[in-house]
Amino acid sequence: MMRKFIVLFVLLIAIQTCAMAAPPKTLHVLFVGNSLTYVGNLPAVLEALAAGGGKSLQAEMLVKGGATLAQWLDSGAVQRALQIGQYDYVVLQERGNDLACGFGPQACRDAHYALHALAQIVRDRGARPILLGTYQVDRDASEALVAAESKAADADAMPCLAVSERLNRGRERVPYDNWFAKAGHPGHDLVLLEAVLLYQQLYGAPPPVNALEVRAPMFVPGSKFAPPSPVSEPLLPAVALAGGYDYSRDEMATAVQLAGDH
């Protein structure tokens, strides 16, 4: 009896040791979007956030300046990427204001249909779709945009990460932060806010409030990408790429606080 007890005890210790030594599951995330997605390299910032929180995450992207979800659907690029890669989540980001019918009724219908069709394609491949919102600085336009994006996401039972209202609260609280890049593209602090929102959605809790180093190219408006094969890669020499960006603890604290607002 004592020998059996000892054997059982050793087995339990071995099981616990293996469980403790097992590496964390790596989440694989595909971003589908345009310059709102690649300026400031949102996928790389999300990867850095995950690493800072002790998580393992790999992100890739399908991006092209000015691209709409309808164009990505029609091109078949999303379908090909999902056939080759094993993704847990697909983050869909429409061209700014399309889902709020800012470019006319046909573009609006195309945007809603593409979101619906892509969500189904993503689920059919065993991944989960997420709609990442866009933004407007005018208060009324911002409220209308958030309402339209949320309604579109709800229609397909996918999470909608609303950005616009949080961004505008951030601009009021910390007006000197780097919210915008050239021509209204996301600045580094807006990219960080979006990454924090995604981190919370993926892991169910905010990231640690620490300084953050991102060691990856910082794409700017006008950066060019080769045709997807199966995902996007920058054309070299790329336009004005830096080797990374350092976020302060204060910037992280602001992003986490804004992401927690409702």
Short mmCIF file of all heavy atoms in Angstrom, two decimals, residues 175-204:
data_model
loop_
_atom_site.label_atom_id
_atom_site.label_comp_id
_atom_site.label_asym_id
_atom_site.label_seq_id
_atom_site.Cartn_x
_atom_site.Cartn_y
_atom_site.Cartn_z
N PRO A 175 -4.36 66.22 -24.27
CA PRO A 175 -4.35 66.75 -25.64
C PRO A 175 -2.99 66.74 -26.31
O PRO A 175 -2.90 66.79 -27.54
CB PRO A 175 -4.86 68.19 -25.46
CG PRO A 175 -4.58 68.52 -24.03
CD PRO A 175 -4.76 67.24 -23.28
N TYR A 176 -1.92 66.66 -25.52
CA TYR A 176 -0.57 66.70 -26.11
C TYR A 176 -0.05 65.34 -26.51
O TYR A 176 1.05 65.21 -27.04
CB TYR A 176 0.40 67.33 -25.10
CG TYR A 176 0.34 66.74 -23.72
CD1 TYR A 176 0.97 65.54 -23.41
CD2 TYR A 176 -0.39 67.37 -22.71
CE1 TYR A 176 0.89 64.99 -22.15
CE2 TYR A 176 -0.47 66.82 -21.44
CZ TYR A 176 0.18 65.63 -21.17
OH TYR A 176 0.09 65.08 -19.92
N ASP A 177 -0.81 64.26 -26.27
CA ASP A 177 -0.35 62.94 -26.68
C ASP A 177 -0.38 62.81 -28.21
O ASP A 177 -1.03 63.59 -28.91
CB ASP A 177 -1.22 61.84 -26.05
CG ASP A 177 -0.65 61.36 -24.71
OD1 ASP A 177 0.27 62.02 -24.19
OD2 ASP A 177 -1.14 60.35 -24.19
N ASN A 178 0.30 61.80 -28.70
CA ASN A 178 0.47 61.59 -30.14
C ASN A 178 -0.72 60.80 -30.69
O ASN A 178 -0.63 59.61 -30.97
CB ASN A 178 1.78 60.84 -30.38
CG ASN A 178 2.15 60.76 -31.85
OD1 ASN A 178 1.36 61.11 -32.73
ND2 ASN A 178 3.34 60.28 -32.12
N TRP A 179 -1.84 61.51 -30.87
CA TRP A 179 -3.06 60.81 -31.28
C TRP A 179 -3.14 60.62 -32.79
O TRP A 179 -3.74 59.65 -33.26
CB TRP A 179 -4.29 61.58 -30.80
CG TRP A 179 -4.41 61.66 -29.32
CD1 TRP A 179 -4.32 62.79 -28.54
CD2 TRP A 179 -4.61 60.58 -28.39
NE1 TRP A 179 -4.45 62.47 -27.21
CE2 TRP A 179 -4.64 61.12 -27.08
CE3 TRP A 179 -4.77 59.20 -28.55
CZ2 TRP A 179 -4.83 60.34 -25.96
CZ3 TRP A 179 -4.95 58.41 -27.43
CH2 TRP A 179 -4.98 58.99 -26.14
N PHE A 180 -2.58 61.54 -33.54
CA PHE A 180 -2.74 61.48 -35.00
C PHE A 180 -1.39 61.60 -35.70
O PHE A 180 -0.50 62.33 -35.27
CB PHE A 180 -3.64 62.60 -35.51
CG PHE A 180 -5.06 62.50 -35.02
CD1 PHE A 180 -5.57 63.47 -34.17
CD2 PHE A 180 -5.87 61.46 -35.41
CE1 PHE A 180 -6.88 63.38 -33.70
CE2 PHE A 180 -7.18 61.36 -34.95
CZ PHE A 180 -7.68 62.32 -34.09
N ALA A 181 -1.27 60.87 -36.80
CA ALA A 181 -0.16 61.02 -37.73
C ALA A 181 -0.65 61.87 -38.90
O ALA A 181 -1.73 62.47 -38.85
CB ALA A 181 0.34 59.65 -38.19
N LYS A 182 0.09 61.88 -39.95
CA LYS A 182 -0.22 62.70 -41.11
C LYS A 182 -1.59 62.33 -41.70
O LYS A 182 -1.96 61.16 -41.76
CB LYS A 182 0.86 62.51 -42.17
CG LYS A 182 0.69 63.34 -43.43
CD LYS A 182 1.84 63.08 -44.39
CE LYS A 182 1.66 63.87 -45.68
NZ LYS A 182 2.76 63.59 -46.64
N ALA A 183 -2.33 63.36 -42.12
CA ALA A 183 -3.61 63.19 -42.83
C ALA A 183 -4.63 62.39 -42.02
O ALA A 183 -5.43 61.64 -42.58
CB ALA A 183 -3.38 62.53 -44.19
N GLY A 184 -4.62 62.57 -40.70
CA GLY A 184 -5.63 61.93 -39.87
C GLY A 184 -5.41 60.47 -39.59
O GLY A 184 -6.29 59.81 -39.00
N HIS A 185 -4.27 59.92 -39.99
CA HIS A 185 -3.96 58.53 -39.69
C HIS A 185 -3.66 58.39 -38.19
O HIS A 185 -3.38 59.36 -37.50
CB HIS A 185 -2.77 58.05 -40.52
CG HIS A 185 -3.10 57.83 -41.96
ND1 HIS A 185 -3.02 58.84 -42.90
CD2 HIS A 185 -3.54 56.73 -42.62
CE1 HIS A 185 -3.38 58.37 -44.08
NE2 HIS A 185 -3.71 57.10 -43.94
N PRO A 186 -3.73 57.17 -37.68
CA PRO A 186 -3.51 57.01 -36.24
C PRO A 186 -2.08 57.31 -35.81
O PRO A 186 -1.12 56.81 -36.41
CB PRO A 186 -3.86 55.52 -36.00
CG PRO A 186 -3.70 54.88 -37.33
CD PRO A 186 -4.07 55.90 -38.34
N GLY A 187 -1.95 58.14 -34.78
CA GLY A 187 -0.65 58.36 -34.17
C GLY A 187 -0.32 57.23 -33.21
O GLY A 187 -1.14 56.33 -32.96
N HIS A 188 0.87 57.28 -32.64
CA HIS A 188 1.32 56.17 -31.81
C HIS A 188 0.40 55.90 -30.62
O HIS A 188 0.16 54.74 -30.26
CB HIS A 188 2.75 56.43 -31.33
CG HIS A 188 3.77 56.34 -32.41
ND1 HIS A 188 4.06 55.17 -33.08
CD2 HIS A 188 4.58 57.30 -32.96
CE1 HIS A 188 5.00 55.40 -33.99
NE2 HIS A 188 5.33 56.67 -33.94
N ASP A 189 -0.13 56.95 -30.00
CA ASP A 189 -0.97 56.72 -28.83
C ASP A 189 -2.34 56.17 -29.20
O ASP A 189 -2.94 55.42 -28.42
CB ASP A 189 -1.10 58.01 -28.01
CG ASP A 189 0.20 58.34 -27.30
OD1 ASP A 189 0.66 57.51 -26.49
OD2 ASP A 189 0.78 59.41 -27.55
N LEU A 190 -2.84 56.52 -30.36
CA LEU A 190 -4.08 55.91 -30.83
C LEU A 190 -3.86 54.43 -31.17
O LEU A 190 -4.70 53.57 -30.86
CB LEU A 190 -4.62 56.66 -32.05
CG LEU A 190 -5.86 56.08 -32.74
CD1 LEU A 190 -6.97 55.78 -31.74
CD2 LEU A 190 -6.35 57.03 -33.82
N VAL A 191 -2.73 54.11 -31.79
CA VAL A 191 -2.40 52.71 -32.07
C VAL A 191 -2.32 51.91 -30.76
O VAL A 191 -2.83 50.79 -30.67
CB VAL A 191 -1.08 52.61 -32.85
CG1 VAL A 191 -0.66 51.15 -33.02
CG2 VAL A 191 -1.21 53.28 -34.21
N LEU A 192 -1.71 52.51 -29.74
CA LEU A 192 -1.62 51.83 -28.45
C LEU A 192 -3.00 51.59 -27.86
O LEU A 192 -3.28 50.51 -27.32
CB LEU A 192 -0.77 52.64 -27.48
CG LEU A 192 -0.59 52.06 -26.08
CD1 LEU A 192 0.11 50.71 -26.13
CD2 LEU A 192 0.16 53.03 -25.18
N LEU A 193 -3.89 52.57 -27.93
CA LEU A 193 -5.25 52.41 -27.43
C LEU A 193 -5.94 51.25 -28.13
O LEU A 193 -6.58 50.41 -27.49
CB LEU A 193 -6.04 53.70 -27.64
CG LEU A 193 -7.55 53.63 -27.38
CD1 LEU A 193 -7.85 53.21 -25.94
CD2 LEU A 193 -8.20 54.99 -27.69
N GLU A 194 -5.81 51.16 -29.45
CA GLU A 194 -6.42 50.06 -30.19
C GLU A 194 -5.83 48.71 -29.77
O GLU A 194 -6.56 47.72 -29.62
CB GLU A 194 -6.22 50.28 -31.68
CG GLU A 194 -6.98 51.48 -32.23
CD GLU A 194 -6.64 51.79 -33.66
OE1 GLU A 194 -5.51 51.48 -34.11
OE2 GLU A 194 -7.50 52.34 -34.36
N ALA A 195 -4.52 48.68 -29.57
CA ALA A 195 -3.87 47.43 -29.15
C ALA A 195 -4.35 47.00 -27.76
O ALA A 195 -4.56 45.81 -27.51
CB ALA A 195 -2.36 47.61 -29.16
N VAL A 196 -4.53 47.96 -26.86
CA VAL A 196 -5.02 47.64 -25.52
C VAL A 196 -6.44 47.09 -25.60
O VAL A 196 -6.80 46.12 -24.91
CB VAL A 196 -4.94 48.86 -24.60
CG1 VAL A 196 -5.68 48.60 -23.28
CG2 VAL A 196 -3.48 49.21 -24.30
N LEU A 197 -7.28 47.70 -26.42
CA LEU A 197 -8.65 47.19 -26.60
C LEU A 197 -8.63 45.75 -27.11
O LEU A 197 -9.40 44.90 -26.64
CB LEU A 197 -9.42 48.08 -27.58
CG LEU A 197 -9.87 49.45 -27.05
CD1 LEU A 197 -10.33 50.33 -28.21
CD2 LEU A 197 -10.98 49.29 -26.02
N LEU A 198 -7.75 45.46 -28.04
CA LEU A 198 -7.66 44.11 -28.57
C LEU A 198 -7.13 43.14 -27.52
O LEU A 198 -7.62 42.01 -27.39
CB LEU A 198 -6.76 44.10 -29.80
CG LEU A 198 -7.41 44.64 -31.08
CD1 LEU A 198 -6.35 44.97 -32.12
CD2 LEU A 198 -8.41 43.64 -31.64
N TYR A 199 -6.13 43.56 -26.77
CA TYR A 199 -5.57 42.71 -25.71
C TYR A 199 -6.68 42.33 -24.71
O TYR A 199 -6.81 41.17 -24.33
CB TYR A 199 -4.45 43.47 -25.01
CG TYR A 199 -3.73 42.70 -23.92
CD1 TYR A 199 -2.48 42.14 -24.16
CD2 TYR A 199 -4.29 42.53 -22.66
CE1 TYR A 199 -1.80 41.45 -23.17
CE2 TYR A 199 -3.63 41.83 -21.67
CZ TYR A 199 -2.38 41.30 -21.93
OH TYR A 199 -1.73 40.60 -20.93
N GLN A 200 -7.47 43.32 -24.31
CA GLN A 200 -8.55 43.04 -23.37
C GLN A 200 -9.57 42.07 -23.95
O GLN A 200 -10.08 41.18 -23.25
CB GLN A 200 -9.25 44.35 -22.98
CG GLN A 200 -8.43 45.25 -22.10
CD GLN A 200 -9.19 46.47 -21.62
OE1 GLN A 200 -8.76 47.15 -20.71
NE2 GLN A 200 -10.31 46.78 -22.24
N GLN A 201 -9.86 42.22 -25.24
CA GLN A 201 -10.82 41.32 -25.87
C GLN A 201 -10.27 39.89 -25.93
O GLN A 201 -11.00 38.92 -25.70
CB GLN A 201 -11.13 41.82 -27.29
CG GLN A 201 -12.08 40.95 -28.08
CD GLN A 201 -13.47 40.88 -27.46
OE1 GLN A 201 -13.97 41.89 -26.96
NE2 GLN A 201 -14.10 39.73 -27.50
N LEU A 202 -8.99 39.75 -26.22
CA LEU A 202 -8.40 38.43 -26.38
C LEU A 202 -8.16 37.72 -25.06
O LEU A 202 -8.32 36.50 -24.96
CB LEU A 202 -7.07 38.55 -27.14
CG LEU A 202 -7.13 39.12 -28.56
CD1 LEU A 202 -5.74 39.14 -29.16
CD2 LEU A 202 -8.09 38.35 -29.44
N TYR A 203 -7.77 38.49 -24.03
CA TYR A 203 -7.35 37.87 -22.78
C TYR A 203 -8.28 38.15 -21.60
O TYR A 203 -8.06 37.61 -20.51
CB TYR A 203 -5.93 38.34 -22.44
CG TYR A 203 -4.90 37.90 -23.45
CD1 TYR A 203 -4.26 38.82 -24.27
CD2 TYR A 203 -4.59 36.55 -23.61
CE1 TYR A 203 -3.32 38.42 -25.21
CE2 TYR A 203 -3.65 36.14 -24.55
CZ TYR A 203 -3.02 37.08 -25.35
OH TYR A 203 -2.10 36.68 -26.27
N GLY A 204 -9.29 38.98 -21.79
CA GLY A 204 -10.27 39.19 -20.73
C GLY A 204 -9.81 40.07 -19.59
O GLY A 204 -10.48 40.13 -18.55
#
